[in-house]
Amino acid sequence: MFHIKQLELVHWDYWRRFSLPLDAQIITIVGPNGSGKTTLLDALRTLFGLRCSGKRDFRRYVRRANRSFAWIRAVVANKPGSTGKRPFFPCLKDEVTLACRIRRAGGDWTRDYAIADGDVPIEVLEANENKVVEWVGYRDYQSRLAWGGLTPAIAKVLALEQGDTDKLCEYSPKALLELVFDVFGDKEVLDNYAAAREEQSNAEKELEALGLDLDRLRAQAEAKRLEADRFLEWKQLNDEATALAGEIVPRLEAAELLRDIEQARADIARGRLDFQKGDEELAGHKARTAEVEAEKAAAEAERKAARSRELAAEKAHLSAHDEVRDFEKLLAERSALRARLAREAGDGAVDLEAAYAKADARLLALQRQERAAIAAFEEKTNQLRATREHRGPPPDGEVSRFRKRLGDAGIAHQALSEIIEVTDPDWQGAVEAVLRPYRNVILLEREQDRHAAWALGEQERFRHFIVPELEAAPPAVDGSLAEVIRFADAVPRWLADLLNRIQRVEDADSARHLPRETEWITRDGYHRERRGARHLGKPTEFHFGELARSARLKQLDADMHSLDARLRELRPELDAAKEEADALRARLHGIEAAQLLAARAEAFEQAEAALPDAKARLTAAIADRAESKGDVDKIDQRLRGIDIELDRRKREISALARKAQELAENEAPRRREQARRIQRLRQLRRGMPADWREPQQTALLVDKYGDARGARADLERLRQRLSDGDWITDDTVLTLAGRLKADLQQRERDYAEREAYFATTRRLTSDARAAYIAKLRITIRQYGKNLRALGDLANVDVDCPVPMLENEDRALASAGLEVRFDFDRKGAVGLNDGEASGGQQVMKSLILLIALLMDEARPGGFVFIDEPFAHLDIANIDRVGTFLRATRAQYLITTPVTHNANVFAPAQLTLVTRKKKPGDDWAPPIGLIQRSV
């Protein structure tokens, strides 16, 4: 940046006119309080387009001079920098004149600025012959100075309040970071970030407002749609009731009368023939009845004789049976006693009892196992039979109950699993895993049944979807999961979209070539969707298609074979256990068998000898009884036939008699009723259109309503419904509903566009924030580098770590710049931690201030510092002076006359200000002391 070489003031405050050379590195402005030190600096600030100190401005100073104009002119350096460019190009001389002309205009003060090539006096600027300069306004002048190195950020530093320049170390880390970025940061980056954040905020508010408006409009559209549905329902019911009353009921009544007339005419003719036939049949039945009664008397006599023979044979059979039974019982007792006698030489009774208890327990356990295996086998058999007879998924109790209720209500439906067939067995597991949540989805065959079905679902708390909206499945997408599925009927659109959206892949690695947003699934059921990828779990029981049914049949068959094998293993063990238990029980009761055998030996021998003859007699008695019983049964059967025929004949005779009587009694009323029908039909047909008599149209009405009574019942039901219901009868509701629907669709499209725009603003805000953070890091590094370089000059270790900066507004808002100083190796101190002395505070502030103005691309520049030596001892004054001399900037330093003389040691040029004496119009000119080289 440029430095100041000369300053000239005209009518500034109480100074009339003077010119000062300022071509020195360190310039000290000394004078008592109120002598004009700050006034001089404010003149430079006004010339450079900066804000004056405190609450002052340029108008305060020019009003004191009591003149209509004032001038501030400075000559500044315009030498090429390291890049070869001059600060005030296209000015090509080494010096440039900066001028500020202040004039009174219309009661207010205005200022104009000019930049002239070379050292141009005020008089030449005022005359401006040959257009030497071009006067510009304040904003254009600031932009031109910014090109020369006096950027708005540096201007902000130069405009720091009196006393603030030595208090930078008291800034908070956040405030210091903001100041550093204002100086070093790219204003465009910050503006872009602020604009993007503001745009995102506006877009978010607008999207929220659109969302609320969309919800309101959606509610209105839904309400109007419901009203339109009520109107259409009312119109349909009203039209149907009108048609029933005016056309359908009369047509059906006429058709019924015509049918009844034809039927009655045929009935009358048939009645005459029936009466004649009845008389003939009655005579024939009476003759045959007499013959059957004679046959019955003969059969009853024959049965009586056969019954006597049967009773004698039964008595002989009972006697022979009792004899054989008694003989066999004696022989069985002998066998038992012999077996007991053979076992009497066994172990003691106690051991025998223990062995019997153990054997009996084992027998009971085996019997329980057998019963359980048999029950399981029967259950599996029933399941296998049901699976073979019924196609579809395995039954579910809750679903079966609900479907029964739907069937009782007359709601035609089917399950989703009943219409899906998996064509590729290798993908059966993946299909089952994806469709697991939809196994029990209920599909309604008629969409108009949806409200009734939903009401039942609400009552039953049915946890599965009930879907009324169905359509034919679209063609399957190549490579999708839908390609291995065949639908037997219409399906929900969302299901077809789901299956078409999922691509089939062999494994997760083979999905690399698919687009990023593609959903896919492997044979093993590993599924990737928008939320991520996971394993869906391969079901152990299949529900969809014939493959699932085959798998269940195979599993049930395997279970039955396993149970049958278990039964075959149990039964030999059960027989052995039973035999062992019987044997042990016999041993417990057979100790006295020898005495019993000896006492009844004679009876046993007699029974053994007589048993063969008794068995022969029993066999003969059984044959005689069977023969006699057969004869009785034959006669009984014949008698039953005779009774049946006789009863039938009597009933037929009675029926024919009643029929003849009814025909005779009904003949006259039937003819009168027929005449009434014909008269009624003629009345109905009078004035009836010809097309109402077409049989085909009438047949359609009959199929729909049944008869006139059914039509009248429907008419009454419709009228009751129309009178009881809260209907919409104004057809304008259809127009309003359509208009609201169109508005809603347009508003939804607008909302989608604003959503996309909001997403774009968020992305742009994130990008702008990232650029802002990147620029902020570079700025902090550059400032830290400047601080360390100045610290080396001042023999102070300075540490300026880069703070943690995250791409998030809250983190950026709380970020701060922590700078630590180490004086004389006594330990690092912070910005304002109270551990540094007054001189160290000044040193810290100067380092922080000068580092803000260092620019490698534009070295040099100038700095205004108000009273940096206040409250410093001699050593610290020397230390600050040494530091200032070591830097390359131009310093304009104010100091009161009360300070130690050491404050003048670093200055090459000292300006001495003096107060205006009372009574004088103008203040004394500024004194000048220049150090000789």
Side-chain angles (χ1 to χ4, degrees), residues 299-369:
E300 285 179 348
E302 186 178 353
R303 182 185 182 283
K304 184 175 182 181
R307 180 59 180 163
S308 299
R309 293 193 300 273
E310 181 186 11
L311 291 175
E314 182 70 24
K315 185 176 180 181
H317 170 264
L318 290 175
S319 176
H321 179 270
D322 292 342
E323 188 179 8
V324 171
R325 181 193 62 196
D326 294 340
F327 290 152
E328 288 180 345
K329 184 177 180 181
L330 287 173
L331 293 177
E333 290 178 0
R334 186 186 67 176
S335 299
L337 288 172
R338 286 177 178 176
R340 289 172 60 188
L341 180 62
R343 293 189 295 269
E344 282 184 352
D347 298 330
V350 177
D351 295 338
L352 193 61
E353 176 65 25
Y356 172 70
K358 183 177 179 181
D360 190 54
R362 180 169 177 268
L363 176 61
L364 290 175
L366 290 173
Q367 287 175 344
R368 285 194 296 270
Q369 294 180 18

Side-chain angles (χ1 to χ4, degrees), residues 427 476-484 499-500 502-505 519 521:
W427 288 94
V477 177
D478 292 341
S480 67
L481 198 58
E483 199 174 21
V484 298
L499 296 173
N500 274 318
I502 302 175
Q503 288 289 314
R504 292 177 290 124
V505 296
E519 291 189 29
I521 192 171

Side-chain angles (χ1 to χ4, degrees), residues 222-488:
E222 180 64 18
K224 284 301 177 184
R225 185 190 67 79
L226 294 176
E227 291 182 2
D229 291 344
R230 294 293 289 172
F231 170 75
L232 293 175
E233 186 177 1
W234 171 83
K235 188 175 185 304
Q236 180 183 2
L237 295 176
N238 188 59
D239 293 345
E240 186 175 356
T242 303
L244 281 169
E247 175 184 355
I248 296 173
V249 171
R251 291 179 65 177
L252 289 176
E253 287 181 350
E256 288 180 6
L257 286 173
L258 182 61
R259 184 180 68 247
D260 292 344
I261 290 171
E262 295 296 333
Q263 184 177 355
R265 185 179 291 119
D267 290 343
I268 292 172
R270 199 163 44 247
R272 288 193 296 268
L273 293 176
D274 290 343
F275 188 79
Q276 296 174 0
K277 290 180 181 178
D279 284 343
E280 296 175 0
E281 289 180 4
L282 183 60
H285 282 302
K286 288 180 178 179
R288 178 58 185 163
T289 301
E291 296 176 0
V292 173
E293 286 178 347
E295 186 179 353
K296 178 181 179 182
E300 285 179 348
E302 186 178 353
R303 182 185 182 283
K304 184 175 182 181
R307 180 59 180 163
S308 299
R309 293 193 300 273
E310 181 186 11
L311 291 175
E314 182 70 24
K315 185 176 180 181
H317 170 264
L318 290 175
S319 176
H321 179 270
D322 292 342
E323 188 179 8
V324 171
R325 181 193 62 196
D326 294 340
F327 290 152
E328 288 180 345
K329 184 177 180 181
L330 287 173
L331 293 177
E333 290 178 0
R334 186 186 67 176
S335 299
L337 288 172
R338 286 177 178 176
R340 289 172 60 188
L341 180 62
R343 293 189 295 269
E344 282 184 352
D347 298 330
V350 177
D351 295 338
L352 193 61
E353 176 65 25
Y356 172 70
K358 183 177 179 181
D360 190 54
R362 180 169 177 268
L363 176 61
L364 290 175
L366 290 173
Q367 287 175 344
R368 285 194 296 270
Q369 294 180 18
E370 182 188 30
R371 288 194 296 272
I374 291 173
F377 186 82
E378 291 177 353
E379 181 182 359
K380 294 295 182 182
T381 302
N382 294 333
Q383 292 180 5
L384 181 62
R385 186 181 301 110
T387 304
R388 286 174 176 171
E389 294 175 356
H390 174 69
R391 296 181 179 274
D396 180 88
E398 178 190 4
V399 178
S400 299
R401 288 193 302 272
F402 184 68
R403 294 189 68 179
K404 184 176 183 303
R405 288 207 62 182
L406 291 177
D408 294 342
I411 299 176
H413 66 280
Q414 56 186 345
L416 177 64
S417 54
E418 296 173 352
I419 67 168
I420 290 182
E421 183 68 39
V422 182
T423 60
D424 191 341
D426 293 341
W427 288 94
Q428 179 80 31
V431 173
E432 294 280 349
V434 171
L435 298 182
R436 189 204 310 261
Y438 315 115
R439 286 176 175 176
N440 298 314
V441 170
I442 300 299
L443 308 178
L444 302 182
E445 294 185 5
R446 297 185 299 271
E447 187 175 352
Q448 56 267 30
D449 293 337
R450 62 186 184 279
H451 295 293
W454 291 339
L456 290 176
E458 182 182 17
Q459 295 174 9
E460 292 290 327
R461 296 189 175 183
F462 190 61
R463 298 179 297 107
H464 307 286
F465 290 116
I466 303 172
V467 184
E469 298 86 1
L470 306 177
E471 60 182 47
V477 177
D478 292 341
S480 67
L481 198 58
E483 199 174 21
V484 298
I485 294 177
R486 184 175 68 251
F487 297 106

